[in-house]
């Protein structure tokens, strides 16, 4: 490691003011030309950055648009076997009731699987479950032999999609005693 024992050597702080007089001794025209060149470079850099930002924003908008447009694609694809099963049932008008009922159950299973694959979950609270206004919609309050503000019966199942309520479960609730 070298030490600066020579007091006549300029330190970095002292070297900067020494460079300033050289710039000051340059002609005003040269300084102007230098500053104009710097300004031109800064403007060019600004325009390029602005254009790049606009391109990124435009590409992001296009990706969001495509995602919205095709987001239902996998869901629709999962529902096609259900449609096929229903069409097959309609094509057999003389089928015995037992066979039709068996086909309806199979079609319901297909539909449930399609919903589950697309993160659609049933809300079907058992009797006695505490009423949750975020997942349940009370249709009426009825006298019941259970704790107040609990579900007595489910009139219509509700559904969540990716933990967001698509439709609340329609329930009757136990009235306070």
């Amino acid at each position: 490691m070298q030490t600066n024992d020579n007091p006549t050597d300029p330190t970095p702080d002292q070297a900067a003011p020494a460079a300033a007089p050289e710039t000051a001794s340059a002609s005003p025209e040269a300084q102007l030309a230098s500053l104009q060149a710097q300004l031109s470079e800064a403007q060019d850099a600004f325009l390029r950055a602005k254009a790049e930002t606009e391109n990124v924003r435009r590409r992001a908008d296009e990706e969001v648009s495509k995602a919205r447009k095709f987001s239902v694609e996998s869901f629709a694809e999962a529902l096609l076997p259900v449609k096929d099963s229903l069409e097959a049932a309609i094509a057999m008008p003389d089928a015995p009731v037992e066979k039709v009922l068996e086909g309806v159950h199979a079609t319901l299973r297909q539909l449930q699987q399609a919903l589950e694959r697309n993160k659609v979950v049933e809300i079907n609270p058992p009797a006695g479950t505490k009423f949750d206004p975020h997942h349940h919609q009370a249709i009426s309050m009825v006298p019941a032999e259970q704790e107040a503000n609990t579900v007595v019966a489910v009139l219509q199942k509700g559904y969540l999609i990716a933990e967001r309520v698509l439709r609340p479960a329609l329930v009757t609730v136990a009235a306070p005693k």
Side-chain angles (χ1 to χ4, degrees), residues 43-70:
Q43 286 174 331
D44 184 56
F46 170 76
L47 289 176
R48 288 179 189 273
K50 184 177 177 183
E52 179 64 21
T53 301
E54 285 298 315
N55 287 339
V56 167
R57 186 191 57 74
R58 182 184 45 77
R59 282 192 296 267
D61 286 347
E62 287 174 2
E63 288 178 20
V64 167
S65 176
K66 284 180 184 176
R68 284 185 185 139
K69 185 175 181 180
F70 297 111

PDB file of all heavy atoms in Angstrom, residues 43-70:
ATOM      1  N   GLN A  43     -31.830  13.694 -24.591  1.00  0.00           N
ATOM      2  CA  GLN A  43     -33.147  13.647 -25.230  1.00  0.00           C
ATOM      3  C   GLN A  43     -33.346  12.316 -25.941  1.00  0.00           C
ATOM      4  O   GLN A  43     -34.422  11.719 -25.862  1.00  0.00           O
ATOM      5  CB  GLN A  43     -33.299  14.803 -26.226  1.00  0.00           C
ATOM      6  CG  GLN A  43     -33.499  16.147 -25.568  1.00  0.00           C
ATOM      7  CD  GLN A  43     -33.513  17.304 -26.572  1.00  0.00           C
ATOM      8  OE1 GLN A  43     -32.886  17.223 -27.623  1.00  0.00           O
ATOM      9  NE2 GLN A  43     -34.216  18.362 -26.210  1.00  0.00           N
ATOM     10  N   ASP A  44     -32.308  11.835 -26.622  1.00  0.00           N
ATOM     11  CA  ASP A  44     -32.394  10.565 -27.321  1.00  0.00           C
ATOM     12  C   ASP A  44     -32.630   9.421 -26.325  1.00  0.00           C
ATOM     13  O   ASP A  44     -33.486   8.557 -26.541  1.00  0.00           O
ATOM     14  CB  ASP A  44     -31.106  10.317 -28.119  1.00  0.00           C
ATOM     15  CG  ASP A  44     -31.184   9.048 -28.937  1.00  0.00           C
ATOM     16  OD1 ASP A  44     -32.128   8.919 -29.744  1.00  0.00           O
ATOM     17  OD2 ASP A  44     -30.305   8.181 -28.751  1.00  0.00           O
ATOM     18  N   ALA A  45     -31.891   9.435 -25.217  1.00  0.00           N
ATOM     19  CA  ALA A  45     -32.062   8.406 -24.190  1.00  0.00           C
ATOM     20  C   ALA A  45     -33.470   8.457 -23.606  1.00  0.00           C
ATOM     21  O   ALA A  45     -34.101   7.419 -23.373  1.00  0.00           O
ATOM     22  CB  ALA A  45     -31.020   8.579 -23.087  1.00  0.00           C
ATOM     23  N   PHE A  46     -33.976   9.666 -23.385  1.00  0.00           N
ATOM     24  CA  PHE A  46     -35.333   9.826 -22.858  1.00  0.00           C
ATOM     25  C   PHE A  46     -36.362   9.259 -23.833  1.00  0.00           C
ATOM     26  O   PHE A  46     -37.269   8.521 -23.444  1.00  0.00           O
ATOM     27  CB  PHE A  46     -35.622  11.308 -22.576  1.00  0.00           C
ATOM     28  CG  PHE A  46     -37.064  11.579 -22.274  1.00  0.00           C
ATOM     29  CD1 PHE A  46     -37.607  11.243 -21.045  1.00  0.00           C
ATOM     30  CD2 PHE A  46     -37.904  12.163 -23.226  1.00  0.00           C
ATOM     31  CE1 PHE A  46     -38.938  11.474 -20.761  1.00  0.00           C
ATOM     32  CE2 PHE A  46     -39.233  12.401 -22.956  1.00  0.00           C
ATOM     33  CZ  PHE A  46     -39.757  12.056 -21.722  1.00  0.00           C
ATOM     34  N   LEU A  47     -36.244   9.590 -25.108  1.00  0.00           N
ATOM     35  CA  LEU A  47     -37.203   9.106 -26.110  1.00  0.00           C
ATOM     36  C   LEU A  47     -37.157   7.583 -26.224  1.00  0.00           C
ATOM     37  O   LEU A  47     -38.192   6.936 -26.358  1.00  0.00           O
ATOM     38  CB  LEU A  47     -36.936   9.764 -27.462  1.00  0.00           C
ATOM     39  CG  LEU A  47     -37.300  11.251 -27.545  1.00  0.00           C
ATOM     40  CD1 LEU A  47     -36.893  11.821 -28.905  1.00  0.00           C
ATOM     41  CD2 LEU A  47     -38.779  11.482 -27.306  1.00  0.00           C
ATOM     42  N   ARG A  48     -35.950   7.014 -26.167  1.00  0.00           N
ATOM     43  CA  ARG A  48     -35.833   5.559 -26.243  1.00  0.00           C
ATOM     44  C   ARG A  48     -36.481   4.894 -25.014  1.00  0.00           C
ATOM     45  O   ARG A  48     -37.181   3.897 -25.135  1.00  0.00           O
ATOM     46  CB  ARG A  48     -34.375   5.137 -26.350  1.00  0.00           C
ATOM     47  CG  ARG A  48     -33.766   5.454 -27.707  1.00  0.00           C
ATOM     48  CD  ARG A  48     -32.291   5.038 -27.753  1.00  0.00           C
ATOM     49  NE  ARG A  48     -31.659   5.512 -28.954  1.00  0.00           N
ATOM     50  CZ  ARG A  48     -31.665   4.855 -30.102  1.00  0.00           C
ATOM     51  NH1 ARG A  48     -32.290   3.703 -30.191  1.00  0.00           N
ATOM     52  NH2 ARG A  48     -31.059   5.354 -31.156  1.00  0.00           N
ATOM     53  N   ALA A  49     -36.245   5.462 -23.838  1.00  0.00           N
ATOM     54  CA  ALA A  49     -36.838   4.914 -22.616  1.00  0.00           C
ATOM     55  C   ALA A  49     -38.360   5.038 -22.658  1.00  0.00           C
ATOM     56  O   ALA A  49     -39.080   4.116 -22.256  1.00  0.00           O
ATOM     57  CB  ALA A  49     -36.275   5.627 -21.383  1.00  0.00           C
ATOM     58  N   LYS A  50     -38.844   6.171 -23.152  1.00  0.00           N
ATOM     59  CA  LYS A  50     -40.290   6.373 -23.250  1.00  0.00           C
ATOM     60  C   LYS A  50     -40.906   5.364 -24.226  1.00  0.00           C
ATOM     61  O   LYS A  50     -41.950   4.767 -23.947  1.00  0.00           O
ATOM     62  CB  LYS A  50     -40.580   7.805 -23.708  1.00  0.00           C
ATOM     63  CG  LYS A  50     -42.042   8.150 -23.753  1.00  0.00           C
ATOM     64  CD  LYS A  50     -42.245   9.595 -24.152  1.00  0.00           C
ATOM     65  CE  LYS A  50     -43.723   9.908 -24.275  1.00  0.00           C
ATOM     66  NZ  LYS A  50     -43.969  11.261 -24.733  1.00  0.00           N
ATOM     67  N   ALA A  51     -40.250   5.146 -25.368  1.00  0.00           N
ATOM     68  CA  ALA A  51     -40.749   4.195 -26.356  1.00  0.00           C
ATOM     69  C   ALA A  51     -40.743   2.778 -25.776  1.00  0.00           C
ATOM     70  O   ALA A  51     -41.694   2.011 -25.980  1.00  0.00           O
ATOM     71  CB  ALA A  51     -39.907   4.255 -27.625  1.00  0.00           C
ATOM     72  N   GLU A  52     -39.695   2.424 -25.058  1.00  0.00           N
ATOM     73  CA  GLU A  52     -39.619   1.095 -24.455  1.00  0.00           C
ATOM     74  C   GLU A  52     -40.732   0.907 -23.432  1.00  0.00           C
ATOM     75  O   GLU A  52     -41.370  -0.151 -23.364  1.00  0.00           O
ATOM     76  CB  GLU A  52     -38.244   0.877 -23.804  1.00  0.00           C
ATOM     77  CG  GLU A  52     -38.083  -0.459 -23.139  1.00  0.00           C
ATOM     78  CD  GLU A  52     -38.165  -1.641 -24.096  1.00  0.00           C
ATOM     79  OE1 GLU A  52     -37.950  -1.462 -25.323  1.00  0.00           O
ATOM     80  OE2 GLU A  52     -38.488  -2.748 -23.624  1.00  0.00           O
ATOM     81  N   THR A  53     -41.004   1.935 -22.636  1.00  0.00           N
ATOM     82  CA  THR A  53     -42.078   1.867 -21.644  1.00  0.00           C
ATOM     83  C   THR A  53     -43.428   1.664 -22.337  1.00  0.00           C
ATOM     84  O   THR A  53     -44.251   0.853 -21.902  1.00  0.00           O
ATOM     85  CB  THR A  53     -42.102   3.155 -20.796  1.00  0.00           C
ATOM     86  OG1 THR A  53     -40.842   3.292 -20.148  1.00  0.00           O
ATOM     87  CG2 THR A  53     -43.200   3.116 -19.763  1.00  0.00           C
ATOM     88  N   GLU A  54     -43.651   2.385 -23.416  1.00  0.00           N
ATOM     89  CA  GLU A  54     -44.911   2.234 -24.168  1.00  0.00           C
ATOM     90  C   GLU A  54     -45.030   0.825 -24.752  1.00  0.00           C
ATOM     91  O   GLU A  54     -46.110   0.237 -24.740  1.00  0.00           O
ATOM     92  CB  GLU A  54     -44.993   3.278 -25.294  1.00  0.00           C
ATOM     93  CG  GLU A  54     -45.310   4.668 -24.804  1.00  0.00           C
ATOM     94  CD  GLU A  54     -46.665   4.751 -24.128  1.00  0.00           C
ATOM     95  OE1 GLU A  54     -47.659   4.196 -24.647  1.00  0.00           O
ATOM     96  OE2 GLU A  54     -46.731   5.372 -23.055  1.00  0.00           O
ATOM     97  N   ASN A  55     -43.923   0.277 -25.255  1.00  0.00           N
ATOM     98  CA  ASN A  55     -43.948  -1.080 -25.811  1.00  0.00           C
ATOM     99  C   ASN A  55     -44.257  -2.112 -24.729  1.00  0.00           C
ATOM    100  O   ASN A  55     -45.036  -3.043 -24.951  1.00  0.00           O
ATOM    101  CB  ASN A  55     -42.609  -1.413 -26.482  1.00  0.00           C
ATOM    102  CG  ASN A  55     -42.434  -0.670 -27.790  1.00  0.00           C
ATOM    103  OD1 ASN A  55     -43.390  -0.225 -28.409  1.00  0.00           O
ATOM    104  ND2 ASN A  55     -41.187  -0.524 -28.210  1.00  0.00           N
ATOM    105  N   VAL A  56     -43.655  -1.952 -23.556  1.00  0.00           N
ATOM    106  CA  VAL A  56     -43.919  -2.875 -22.453  1.00  0.00           C
ATOM    107  C   VAL A  56     -45.380  -2.785 -22.039  1.00  0.00           C
ATOM    108  O   VAL A  56     -46.050  -3.809 -21.829  1.00  0.00           O
ATOM    109  CB  VAL A  56     -42.981  -2.576 -21.258  1.00  0.00           C
ATOM    110  CG1 VAL A  56     -43.439  -3.298 -20.008  1.00  0.00           C
ATOM    111  CG2 VAL A  56     -41.548  -2.947 -21.602  1.00  0.00           C
ATOM    112  N   ARG A  57     -45.908  -1.574 -21.939  1.00  0.00           N
ATOM    113  CA  ARG A  57     -47.307  -1.395 -21.552  1.00  0.00           C
ATOM    114  C   ARG A  57     -48.237  -2.015 -22.598  1.00  0.00           C
ATOM    115  O   ARG A  57     -49.195  -2.719 -22.272  1.00  0.00           O
ATOM    116  CB  ARG A  57     -47.631   0.092 -21.396  1.00  0.00           C
ATOM    117  CG  ARG A  57     -49.043   0.346 -20.837  1.00  0.00           C
ATOM    118  CD  ARG A  57     -49.462   1.797 -20.937  1.00  0.00           C
ATOM    119  NE  ARG A  57     -49.436   2.336 -22.277  1.00  0.00           N
ATOM    120  CZ  ARG A  57     -50.338   2.051 -23.231  1.00  0.00           C
ATOM    121  NH1 ARG A  57     -51.321   1.211 -22.993  1.00  0.00           N
ATOM    122  NH2 ARG A  57     -50.240   2.593 -24.421  1.00  0.00           N
ATOM    123  N   ARG A  58     -47.943  -1.800 -23.882  1.00  0.00           N
ATOM    124  CA  ARG A  58     -48.774  -2.343 -24.954  1.00  0.00           C
ATOM    125  C   ARG A  58     -48.755  -3.872 -24.930  1.00  0.00           C
ATOM    126  O   ARG A  58     -49.797  -4.527 -25.035  1.00  0.00           O
ATOM    127  CB  ARG A  58     -48.284  -1.823 -26.306  1.00  0.00           C
ATOM    128  CG  ARG A  58     -49.124  -2.291 -27.484  1.00  0.00           C
ATOM    129  CD  ARG A  58     -48.556  -1.844 -28.829  1.00  0.00           C
ATOM    130  NE  ARG A  58     -47.138  -2.018 -28.980  1.00  0.00           N
ATOM    131  CZ  ARG A  58     -46.523  -3.186 -29.233  1.00  0.00           C
ATOM    132  NH1 ARG A  58     -47.231  -4.285 -29.337  1.00  0.00           N
ATOM    133  NH2 ARG A  58     -45.215  -3.247 -29.372  1.00  0.00           N
ATOM    134  N   ARG A  59     -47.560  -4.457 -24.744  1.00  0.00           N
ATOM    135  CA  ARG A  59     -47.469  -5.925 -24.684  1.00  0.00           C
ATOM    136  C   ARG A  59     -48.229  -6.467 -23.483  1.00  0.00           C
ATOM    137  O   ARG A  59     -48.909  -7.496 -23.576  1.00  0.00           O
ATOM    138  CB  ARG A  59     -46.005  -6.359 -24.629  1.00  0.00           C
ATOM    139  CG  ARG A  59     -45.305  -6.300 -25.976  1.00  0.00           C
ATOM    140  CD  ARG A  59     -43.962  -7.010 -25.946  1.00  0.00           C
ATOM    141  NE  ARG A  59     -43.010  -6.392 -25.045  1.00  0.00           N
ATOM    142  CZ  ARG A  59     -42.111  -5.477 -25.388  1.00  0.00           C
ATOM    143  NH1 ARG A  59     -42.055  -5.055 -26.635  1.00  0.00           N
ATOM    144  NH2 ARG A  59     -41.277  -4.981 -24.491  1.00  0.00           N
ATOM    145  N   ALA A  60     -48.139  -5.798 -22.346  1.00  0.00           N
ATOM    146  CA  ALA A  60     -48.871  -6.240 -21.151  1.00  0.00           C
ATOM    147  C   ALA A  60     -50.378  -6.162 -21.389  1.00  0.00           C
ATOM    148  O   ALA A  60     -51.123  -7.072 -21.002  1.00  0.00           O
ATOM    149  CB  ALA A  60     -48.474  -5.392 -19.945  1.00  0.00           C
ATOM    150  N   ASP A  61     -50.840  -5.082 -22.029  1.00  0.00           N
ATOM    151  CA  ASP A  61     -52.275  -4.954 -22.339  1.00  0.00           C
ATOM    152  C   ASP A  61     -52.734  -6.077 -23.260  1.00  0.00           C
ATOM    153  O   ASP A  61     -53.827  -6.625 -23.082  1.00  0.00           O
ATOM    154  CB  ASP A  61     -52.569  -3.597 -22.984  1.00  0.00           C
ATOM    155  CG  ASP A  61     -52.519  -2.446 -22.009  1.00  0.00           C
ATOM    156  OD1 ASP A  61     -52.499  -2.696 -20.780  1.00  0.00           O
ATOM    157  OD2 ASP A  61     -52.504  -1.271 -22.466  1.00  0.00           O
ATOM    158  N   GLU A  62     -51.911  -6.420 -24.255  1.00  0.00           N
ATOM    159  CA  GLU A  62     -52.268  -7.499 -25.177  1.00  0.00           C
ATOM    160  C   GLU A  62     -52.346  -8.836 -24.442  1.00  0.00           C
ATOM    161  O   GLU A  62     -53.259  -9.631 -24.688  1.00  0.00           O
ATOM    162  CB  GLU A  62     -51.243  -7.592 -26.312  1.00  0.00           C
ATOM    163  CG  GLU A  62     -51.354  -6.475 -27.319  1.00  0.00           C
ATOM    164  CD  GLU A  62     -50.231  -6.508 -28.364  1.00  0.00           C
ATOM    165  OE1 GLU A  62     -49.379  -7.438 -28.326  1.00  0.00           O
ATOM    166  OE2 GLU A  62     -50.204  -5.602 -29.198  1.00  0.00           O
ATOM    167  N   GLU A  63     -51.399  -9.083 -23.528  1.00  0.00           N
ATOM    168  CA  GLU A  63     -51.408 -10.330 -22.777  1.00  0.00           C
ATOM    169  C   GLU A  63     -52.636 -10.427 -21.874  1.00  0.00           C
ATOM    170  O   GLU A  63     -53.254 -11.485 -21.772  1.00  0.00           O
ATOM    171  CB  GLU A  63     -50.128 -10.462 -21.953  1.00  0.00           C
ATOM    172  CG  GLU A  63     -48.910 -10.758 -22.794  1.00  0.00           C
ATOM    173  CD  GLU A  63     -47.636 -10.834 -21.972  1.00  0.00           C
ATOM    174  OE1 GLU A  63     -47.712 -11.031 -20.745  1.00  0.00           O
ATOM    175  OE2 GLU A  63     -46.559 -10.695 -22.581  1.00  0.00           O
ATOM    176  N   VAL A  64     -53.010  -9.329 -21.237  1.00  0.00           N
ATOM    177  CA  VAL A  64     -54.199  -9.318 -20.382  1.00  0.00           C
ATOM    178  C   VAL A  64     -55.442  -9.560 -21.231  1.00  0.00           C
ATOM    179  O   VAL A  64     -56.335 -10.324 -20.855  1.00  0.00           O
ATOM    180  CB  VAL A  64     -54.301  -7.987 -19.597  1.00  0.00           C
ATOM    181  CG1 VAL A  64     -55.671  -7.827 -18.956  1.00  0.00           C
ATOM    182  CG2 VAL A  64     -53.209  -7.904 -18.546  1.00  0.00           C
ATOM    183  N   SER A  65     -55.498  -8.941 -22.397  1.00  0.00           N
ATOM    184  CA  SER A  65     -56.636  -9.119 -23.289  1.00  0.00           C
ATOM    185  C   SER A  65     -56.762 -10.583 -23.728  1.00  0.00           C
ATOM    186  O   SER A  65     -57.859 -11.149 -23.714  1.00  0.00           O
ATOM    187  CB  SER A  65     -56.476  -8.212 -24.505  1.00  0.00           C
ATOM    188  OG  SER A  65     -57.506  -8.428 -25.428  1.00  0.00           O
ATOM    189  N   LYS A  66     -55.632 -11.190 -24.090  1.00  0.00           N
ATOM    190  CA  LYS A  66     -55.664 -12.598 -24.499  1.00  0.00           C
ATOM    191  C   LYS A  66     -56.056 -13.487 -23.323  1.00  0.00           C
ATOM    192  O   LYS A  66     -56.795 -14.454 -23.500  1.00  0.00           O
ATOM    193  CB  LYS A  66     -54.297 -13.024 -25.040  1.00  0.00           C
ATOM    194  CG  LYS A  66     -54.015 -12.509 -26.423  1.00  0.00           C
ATOM    195  CD  LYS A  66     -52.645 -12.961 -26.895  1.00  0.00           C
ATOM    196  CE  LYS A  66     -52.324 -12.369 -28.248  1.00  0.00           C
ATOM    197  NZ  LYS A  66     -50.962 -12.726 -28.680  1.00  0.00           N
ATOM    198  N   ALA A  67     -55.552 -13.182 -22.139  1.00  0.00           N
ATOM    199  CA  ALA A  67     -55.890 -13.991 -20.959  1.00  0.00           C
ATOM    200  C   ALA A  67     -57.382 -13.931 -20.684  1.00  0.00           C
ATOM    201  O   ALA A  67     -58.012 -14.949 -20.379  1.00  0.00           O
ATOM    202  CB  ALA A  67     -55.102 -13.504 -19.738  1.00  0.00           C
ATOM    203  N   ARG A  68     -57.965 -12.749 -20.798  1.00  0.00           N
ATOM    204  CA  ARG A  68     -59.418 -12.623 -20.595  1.00  0.00           C
ATOM    205  C   ARG A  68     -60.184 -13.388 -21.667  1.00  0.00           C
ATOM    206  O   ARG A  68     -61.168 -14.062 -21.389  1.00  0.00           O
ATOM    207  CB  ARG A  68     -59.825 -11.157 -20.619  1.00  0.00           C
ATOM    208  CG  ARG A  68     -59.486 -10.418 -19.375  1.00  0.00           C
ATOM    209  CD  ARG A  68     -60.034  -9.003 -19.410  1.00  0.00           C
ATOM    210  NE  ARG A  68     -59.601  -8.265 -18.248  1.00  0.00           N
ATOM    211  CZ  ARG A  68     -59.199  -7.018 -18.265  1.00  0.00           C
ATOM    212  NH1 ARG A  68     -59.192  -6.341 -19.394  1.00  0.00           N
ATOM    213  NH2 ARG A  68     -58.817  -6.421 -17.160  1.00  0.00           N
ATOM    214  N   LYS A  69     -59.735 -13.241 -22.890  1.00  0.00           N
ATOM    215  CA  LYS A  69     -60.435 -13.848 -24.024  1.00  0.00           C
ATOM    216  C   LYS A  69     -60.440 -15.372 -23.930  1.00  0.00           C
ATOM    217  O   LYS A  69     -61.445 -16.018 -24.221  1.00  0.00           O
ATOM    218  CB  LYS A  69     -59.756 -13.399 -25.319  1.00  0.00           C
ATOM    219  CG  LYS A  69     -60.446 -13.846 -26.577  1.00  0.00           C
ATOM    220  CD  LYS A  69     -59.744 -13.243 -27.787  1.00  0.00           C
ATOM    221  CE  LYS A  69     -60.403 -13.642 -29.080  1.00  0.00           C
ATOM    222  NZ  LYS A  69     -59.718 -13.067 -30.237  1.00  0.00           N
ATOM    223  N   PHE A  70     -59.304 -15.954 -23.511  1.00  0.00           N
ATOM    224  CA  PHE A  70     -59.183 -17.401 -23.522  1.00  0.00           C
ATOM    225  C   PHE A  70     -59.264 -18.037 -22.136  1.00  0.00           C
ATOM    226  O   PHE A  70     -59.059 -19.232 -21.993  1.00  0.00           O
ATOM    227  CB  PHE A  70     -57.877 -17.801 -24.211  1.00  0.00           C
ATOM    228  CG  PHE A  70     -57.836 -17.390 -25.650  1.00  0.00           C
ATOM    229  CD1 PHE A  70     -56.967 -16.396 -26.071  1.00  0.00           C
ATOM    230  CD2 PHE A  70     -58.685 -17.958 -26.583  1.00  0.00           C
ATOM    231  CE1 PHE A  70     -56.940 -15.999 -27.394  1.00  0.00           C
ATOM    232  CE2 PHE A  70     -58.670 -17.571 -27.903  1.00  0.00           C
ATOM    233  CZ  PHE A  70     -57.795 -16.589 -28.315  1.00  0.00           C
TER     234      PHE A  70
END
